[in-house]
Amino acid sequence: MRTAEHYFEVPLDHFGDGGGTITVFAREYVSTDHSEDDTARLPWLLYLQGGPGGRGNRFPSLGGWSKAAAKDFRILMLDQRGTGLSSPIDRHTLPLHGDDAAQAGYLSHFRADSIVADAEAIRRALGSGPWTVYGQSYGGFCALSYLSFAPEGLRRALVTGGLAPLTGPADRVYQATFRRVAARNAEYFGWYPEDRATVTRIARHLRDTREFLPDGGRLTVERFQMAGSHLGGNTRVDALHHLLEDAFVSAPGGIRLSDAFLEQVRGLVSRAANPLYALMHESIYGQGQATDWAAWRVLEDFPEFRPDAAEPLLTGEMVYPWYFEQDAALRPLRDVARLLAAKSDWKPLYDPERLARNTVPVAAAVYSDDIYVDRDLSLETAAAVRGLQVWESADFHHDGIADDGEGIFARLLGMARPAGAAGAGH
C-alpha cells in the first residue's frame, strides 16, 4: 500500500462565529495495484471509526474490509476531532481551554454534527465529488447525521453495527442494552460454566482484598465487571475465558490476583488512551434533554449488574460517574463530565423528516445479538430512512468486520450501488 498524510484546519464551531480553528488529521491508503495516475482518478471512501473517542485505524497492511475497499477506492481514514492527531483531547490538553464550564462548552463541539461538517470541509478541500462513507458502530451514527445534514456530499453510505435511535432519551438505549448484555452473560456462562464461579470468586476477593493495577489504580468489583466488553464479539468472547483462567496465584500472604491478569484488566478498564469516550459517550444520544448518567440510573432496574450482587454479571460499554473517580486519567475531568451529563440543550443530531425523504443509497448490516447497538432499535431506525437496505445477520456480533470484513464490505457495497452503475466505485 501507499499512504499519504493530510492535515486540515477547520472551524471549532461550524455553526457559529467564534471559537477559532482546530486541526483534523486523516491518512490516505491506496493499494499499490493502482498506479499513481490511476489513483488520482479513483473515488474516495471515507471511513468513520467507532467510538466516540476512537482514533482512525492505523493499518500495517491492507486486509479485511480495507483490502476489499482498496480495489475500487482511495480510503481516507479520519481521526475524528479530538482523537489521534486531530487536536487531541485528554486531561493535559483540555485545561488549555479554560475552567470546567469552558471545557464543557468546548466539548459540546465534538459530536457527530461537527464531525460531519469536518468531513464536508475535507471533501471540498480534496476536490472530491460526493463520496462513499463507511461507518462502523458510532461511525454509523455519524453517517446518519451525514444523511440528515449534508446528503449532497454522499454518493452512498455503508453502515455496520451502527444504526442509532433517531429520537427518545438515552434511557431507552440502556434499557435495551442491559437486557442484551444479560442475555449474552447467560450465553457465555452456558459455554464456560466454570467461569461463573470464577467471576463470583474474583468479585468476592476484590471486596475483601485490596488489589492494584500496574498503573497504581485500585481494581474494584465494578472496574473488573468492565471485562464484559469481551462479550461484544465473536472473536473476542473466548479471550474472556483466557483472561479469567489467569486470575489467581498463590502468594506468601495467601491467594492474590496474578500480575498477568491485572495487566490484561488494566488494558480493558483504563480510558487513558481514549478519554473522549468516557466524556462524550452518553452525549451521542443527547437531543434536547440531559442524559444525566442514564446508564447509572437504568442500572437500578437491573440489580444483577450491581457490584454488590451475589453473582454479579459483567457489563458492556456503559459509562458511569464512578469512572471519573477510579480512573486516574479521568479524575481531573470529573467536574467537566458532570456538567456534560447535566447539559439539557443538546442540538438535534438527526433530521427524521429529511431521512424519510432520503435519496442516497444506504446499506446497513444489523447484527441480531449485538450487545452495543440494539437490533430492535436499529430496525426501527432503518424503517425510518427511505431506501435504506438492511442485511440482518446472526452470524456476527458487534465486531463483525474483524471476523469477515472483506465479505461484509463487498455485500454492503453491492447492496448500495446506485442503479445503472458500471462498477463498485462508480
Side-chain angles (χ1 to χ4, degrees):
M1 65 185 184
R2 293 190 302 273
T3 66
E5 297 177 348
H6 301 271
Y7 294 86
F8 306 90
E9 292 296 312
V10 300
L12 169 67
D13 183 1
H14 285 278
F15 314 108
D17 299 325
T21 63
I22 61 172
T23 299
V24 172
F25 171 80
R27 182 173 278 114
E28 174 185 351
Y29 293 94
V30 178
S31 170
T32 52
D33 289 343
H34 304 291
S35 69
E36 292 192 15
D37 288 342
D38 288 341
T39 295
R41 292 187 289 271
L42 286 175
W44 287 97
L45 179 142
L46 175 70
Y47 183 74
L48 297 170
Q49 173 69 293
R55 69 177 188 174
N57 295 331
R58 270 55 174 169
F59 292 136
S61 62
L62 295 173
W65 75 262
S66 64
K67 181 179 179 180
K71 295 176 182 177
D72 297 292
F73 295 97
R74 301 168 78 173
I75 299 170
L76 193 68
M77 180 63 64
L78 181 68
D79 278 358
Q80 296 168 18
R81 53 171 49 202
T83 74
L85 299 179
S86 295
S87 295
I89 288 171
D90 63 17
R91 61 193 169 99
H92 301 295
T93 64
L94 200 52
L96 294 172
H97 304 287
D99 61 13
D100 293 336
Q103 292 173 44
Y106 180 77
L107 288 171
S108 69
H109 303 298
F110 284 76
R111 298 203 305 159
D113 51 352
S114 295
I115 293 169
V116 167
D118 290 345
E120 275 297 273
I122 291 168
R123 183 180 65 83
R124 292 190 293 268
L126 293 173
S128 173
W131 57 9
T132 297
V133 296
Y134 182 20
Q136 157 66 11
S137 189
Y138 175 64
F141 292 29
C142 294
L144 288 170
S145 294
Y146 216 140
L147 290 164
S148 295
F149 303 127
E152 66 279 3
L154 297 180
R155 179 66 169 166
R156 65 174 73 79
L158 312 177
V159 175
T160 48
L163 291 181
L166 302 179
T167 59
D171 299 47
R172 70 194 292 252
V173 172
Y174 293 109
Q175 289 283 349
T177 300
F178 275 114
R179 288 193 293 269
R180 294 271 180 198
V181 178
R184 185 65 163 163
N185 270 264
E187 184 177 35
Y188 175 80
F189 291 131
W191 296 330
Y192 294 108
E194 69 274 27
D195 286 357
R196 173 64 275 177
T198 301
V199 167
T200 300
R201 184 185 176 196
I202 293 171
R204 290 173 179 168
H205 175 83
L206 291 172
R207 293 184 193 120
D208 298 334
T209 306
R210 292 171 66 87
E211 294 277 11
F212 293 89
L213 299 169
D215 61 7
R218 186 177 176 184
L219 180 59
T220 59
V221 177
E222 53 267 33
R223 293 190 88 185
F224 162 62
Q225 288 175 280
M226 294 169 66
S229 60
H230 278 307
L231 297 173
N234 273 348
T235 55
R236 286 184 292 143
V237 69
D238 294 310
L240 176 58
H241 177 66
H242 302 150
L243 168 70
L244 295 173
E245 68 185 8
D246 283 339
F248 289 104
V249 293
S250 296
I255 298 297
R256 300 303 298 260
L257 294 177
S258 73
D259 283 347
F261 174 82
L262 291 169
E263 173 59 20
Q264 292 174 77
V265 171
R266 182 202 59 80
L268 295 173
V269 305
S270 172
R271 292 296 178 195
N274 59 343
L276 202 60
Y277 176 93
L279 284 164
M280 301 299 292
H281 186 76
E282 289 199 352
S283 80
I284 67 178
Y285 303 110
Q287 299 188 89
Q289 57 189 301
T291 55
D292 191 26
W293 300 112
W296 184 242
R297 290 184 291 101
V298 171
L299 177 65
E300 293 299 313
D301 297 332
F302 296 88
E304 63 270 33
F305 286 98
R306 290 182 57 87
D308 57 359
E311 294 187 315
L313 298 184
L314 300 171
T315 58
E317 62 174 8
M318 304 81 161
V319 171
Y320 308 109
W322 55 258
Y323 272 29
F324 296 88
E325 299 167 0
Q326 298 189 24
D327 189 331
L330 298 178
R331 201 171 295 131
L333 307 175
R334 178 179 54 195
D335 291 335
V336 178
R338 176 181 55 79
L339 291 171
L340 290 171
K343 181 178 171 62
S344 60
D345 58 349
W346 293 112
K347 295 179 180 178
L349 291 168
Y350 313 108
D351 184 340
E353 292 185 2
R354 197 165 194 178
L355 292 173
R357 303 192 306 269
N358 173 62
T359 58
V360 177
V362 188
V366 173
Y367 306 127
S368 303
D369 301 308
D370 195 328
I371 68 169
Y372 294 144
V373 180
D374 180 70
R375 176 257 187 196
D376 295 340
L377 294 179
S378 295
L379 294 182
E380 174 188 297
T381 293
V385 181
R386 181 176 179 269
L388 189 153
Q389 299 185 67
V390 170
W391 169 47
E392 182 177 355
S393 174
D395 294 333
F396 303 101
H397 280 262
H398 193 68
D399 64 349
I401 60 173
D403 287 347
D404 185 18
E406 193 167 0
I408 291 171
F409 179 85
R411 180 164 187 156
L412 293 180
L413 184 64
M415 291 167 62
R417 184 176 297 126
H426 300 283

